[in-house]
């Protein structure tokens, strides 16, 4: 009789623990779900209560054994039993969640993850996978404080203003600009894109700044200005020059730009200009003459102090076997002169 009473007490304790945490959720379901859905939920909690009762019993038995025995290894079997029991419980919940997902009942699967497995992230991800973006965003925000994932879900739900507010909090200015552009608020979009471009410029990332102007703001002239600024101020000079030329699509205009910029190039930057000419030489046959002439000038100017620069001639005469022989003879003669 006494053992029966203890069993009932333990079961009631377990059931009360669940009831305290779930009563609000169950009550809400009564208004939104079918009778049988609520019955299934109650059955699940009843089974969970019974399992918790078994766990409580195992823990009490372990404590009793510890008190009754002074031997060091006496609790090993109970520990294994409890671990095995918890694993079985968890596996059952995992199977239940997978079953709901297989049935496309993502909301119930999410409840299993969050309420029974205490895994809010998987609960939110399950809601997201099921297309319940607003619900997923709420979990990411309230239970996980994950603004990034929440903003992404609001974006998928086309709740752009909510997403914008979160991206502003996270200082993701380019993303804010993208979403303002999505809702056709061009003024605010450009305002945030300008902030991004200014940040890149301040950090000497001129190419990235130019891409904001050209791709996001559709201002190619501003993109060229910032690339020219990078070239002139030695801020990632080669890439700025290379991208500057890449943005000139008319061959005649590009030829003129190549000549004009070369005339303004200081001596210490001419080897960088030479590297850029190798790219332009391959771009169009109409550019080969001007790029080759500039290359010859630079090589002639620098060969006295940098003899290895003579090797660059082959890039501007790829089919000329004679030039390769001349380069070889020059290097041989140079080496002999140095030895003497």
């Amino acid at each position: 009789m006494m053992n029966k009473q203890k069993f009932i007490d333990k079961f009631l304790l377990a059931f009360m623990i669940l009831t305290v945490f779930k009563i609000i959720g169950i009550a809400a379901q009564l208004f939104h779900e079918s009778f049988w859905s609520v019955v299934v939920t109650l059955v699940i909690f009843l089974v969970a209560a019974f399992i918790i009762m078994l766990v409580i019993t195992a823990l009490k038995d372990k404590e009793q054994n510890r008190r009754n025995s002074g031997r060091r290894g006496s609790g090993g079997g109970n520990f294994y039993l409890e671990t095995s029991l918890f694993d079985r419980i968890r596996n059952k919940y995992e199977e239940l969640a997978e079953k709901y997902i297989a049935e496309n009942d993502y909301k119930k699967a999410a409840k299993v993850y969050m309420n029974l497995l205490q895994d809010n992230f998987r609960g939110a991800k399950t809601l997201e996978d099921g297309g319940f973006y607003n619900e997923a965003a709420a979990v990411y925000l309230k239970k996980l404080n994950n603004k990034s994932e929440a903003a992404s879900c609001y974006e998928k739900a086309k709740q752009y203003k909510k997403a914008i507010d979160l991206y502003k909090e996270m200082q993701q200015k380019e993303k804010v600009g993208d979403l303002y552009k999505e809702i056709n608020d061009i003024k605010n979009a450009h305002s945030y894109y300008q902030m991004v471009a200014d940040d890149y410029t301040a950090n000497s990332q001129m190419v990235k700044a130019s891409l904001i102007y050209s791709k996001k703001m559709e201002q190619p002239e501003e993109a060229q200005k910032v690339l020219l600024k990078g070239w002139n101020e030695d801020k990632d000079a080669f890439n700025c020059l290379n991208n500057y030329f890449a943005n000139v699509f008319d061959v005649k205009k590009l030829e003129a730009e190549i000549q004009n910029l070369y005339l303004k190039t200081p001596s210490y930057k001419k080897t960088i200009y030479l590297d850029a000419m190798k790219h332009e030489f391959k771009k169009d046959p109409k550019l080969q003459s001007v790029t080759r002439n500039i290359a010859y000038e630079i090589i002639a100017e620098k060969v006295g102090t940098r003899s290895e620069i003579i090797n660059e001639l082959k890039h501007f005469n790829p089919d000329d076997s004679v030039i390769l022989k001349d380069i070889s003879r020059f290097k041989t003669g140079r080496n002999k002169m140095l030895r003497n």
Side-chain angles (χ1 to χ4, degrees):
M1 184 68 180
M2 192 66 179
N3 289 337
K4 184 178 180 181
Q5 184 60 45
K6 285 182 178 179
F7 180 89
I8 293 171
D9 290 344
K10 291 171 184 176
F11 182 82
L12 287 174
L13 175 61
F15 189 77
M16 286 172 65
I17 291 171
L18 279 176
T19 302
V20 168
F21 289 102
K22 306 302 176 183
I23 190 67
I24 296 174
I26 293 171
Q29 288 177 346
L30 290 171
F31 294 97
H32 299 286
E33 298 185 7
S34 68
F35 170 78
W36 288 112
S37 176
V38 175
V39 168
V40 170
T41 303
L42 288 172
V43 170
I44 291 171
F45 286 128
L46 192 63
V47 172
F50 181 75
I51 292 170
I52 291 173
M53 180 273 295
L54 292 178
V55 173
I56 292 170
T57 301
L59 290 173
K60 285 190 175 181
D61 288 345
K62 179 184 175 183
E63 180 63 21
Q64 188 64 39
N65 287 338
R66 189 185 66 79
R67 290 178 180 176
N68 293 339
S69 175
R71 290 177 298 171
R72 181 175 297 175
S74 63
N78 284 329
F79 177 78
Y80 176 79
L81 178 64
E82 290 161 24
T83 302
S84 177
L85 179 60
F86 276 115
D87 286 343
R88 285 202 300 272
I89 295 169
R90 185 172 186 84
N91 288 340
K92 287 295 180 183
Y93 289 159
E94 292 279 1
E95 289 173 8
L96 183 61
E98 289 171 8
K99 173 179 173 293
Y100 283 142
I101 290 173
E103 295 170 354
N104 292 324
D105 200 338
Y106 290 91
K107 282 190 174 181
K108 283 186 178 178
K111 286 178 183 178
V112 172
Y113 283 129
M114 292 187 291
N115 296 338
L116 300 179
L117 289 168
Q118 299 299 305
D119 191 337
N120 291 323
F121 183 82
R122 276 207 290 175
K125 192 70 176 67
T126 300
L127 288 169
E128 185 178 352
D129 291 343
F132 300 101
Y133 300 122
N134 283 306
E135 293 88 339
V139 176
Y140 280 127
L141 267 184
K142 295 176 183 178
K143 293 185 179 293
L144 297 166
N145 194 31
N146 191 326
K147 294 178 182 178
S148 179
E149 293 290 350
S152 176
C153 283
Y154 280 135
E155 187 178 348
K156 290 176 182 177
K158 300 190 184 302
Q159 298 283 334
Y160 294 121
K161 290 189 177 180
K162 288 182 179 180
I164 285 170
D165 288 340
L166 287 174
Y167 283 125
K168 283 181 179 178
E169 287 181 35
M170 294 183 287
Q171 292 293 303
Q172 294 190 24
K173 299 170 187 173
E174 185 173 348
K175 194 66 182 177
V176 173
D178 290 343
L179 292 187
Y180 271 129
K181 194 172 183 180
E182 186 71 28
I183 60 177
N184 206 32
D185 187 344
I186 303 303
K187 182 179 179 181
N188 273 318
H190 280 205
S191 176
Y192 274 87
Y193 285 146
Q194 186 63 56
M195 293 181 201
V196 177
D198 291 342
D199 287 343
Y200 281 139
T201 302
N203 290 320
S204 300
Q205 295 175 289
M206 304 308 214
V207 173
K208 286 186 176 181
S210 74
L211 291 174
I212 294 295
Y213 283 120
S214 61
K215 304 296 184 184
K216 297 296 178 77
M217 301 174 73
E218 299 178 1
Q219 297 178 2
E221 298 84 3
E222 292 300 317
Q224 291 297 76
K225 285 180 184 178
V226 77
L227 288 170
L228 201 55
K229 179 180 173 69
W231 163 249
N232 290 329
E233 296 180 4
D234 295 331
K235 295 176 179 178
D236 195 15
F238 172 77
N239 286 322
C240 284
L241 184 63
N242 197 36
N243 278 273
Y244 181 86
F245 289 147
N247 291 335
V248 182
F249 302 105
D250 182 86
V251 175
K252 286 189 176 295
K253 186 177 179 182
L254 178 56
E255 183 180 7
E257 286 290 330
I258 288 171
Q259 289 176 314
N260 291 335
L261 277 182
Y262 175 66
L263 294 175
K264 300 173 186 176
T265 300
S267 180
Y268 78 93
K269 290 171 73 171
K270 285 187 177 179
T271 53
I272 300 175
Y273 209 91
L274 178 62
D275 287 337
M277 292 303 96
K278 287 189 284 187
H279 287 272
E280 301 309 308
F281 179 84
K282 298 175 185 177
K283 190 177 290 184
D284 193 297
K286 295 176 182 176
L287 296 173
Q288 290 183 355
S289 177
V290 65
T291 53
R292 185 186 290 115
N293 289 337
I294 289 173
Y296 284 178
E297 283 188 29
I298 295 172
I299 292 167
E301 180 181 326
K302 300 295 181 182
V303 71
T305 54
R306 291 185 55 185
S307 60
E308 74 279 2
I309 202 171
I310 196 72
N311 291 313
E312 302 295 342
L313 286 172
K314 62 187 177 184
H315 294 290
F316 301 92
N317 301 275
D319 302 319
D320 190 343
S321 59
V322 176
I323 198 75
L324 295 177
K325 293 178 182 178
D326 289 343
I327 292 171
S328 180
R329 281 197 295 270
F330 174 83
K331 289 166 71 177
T332 302
R334 179 79 174 176
N335 290 336
K336 284 180 179 179
M337 185 176 67
L338 289 173
R339 284 197 298 269
N340 294 332

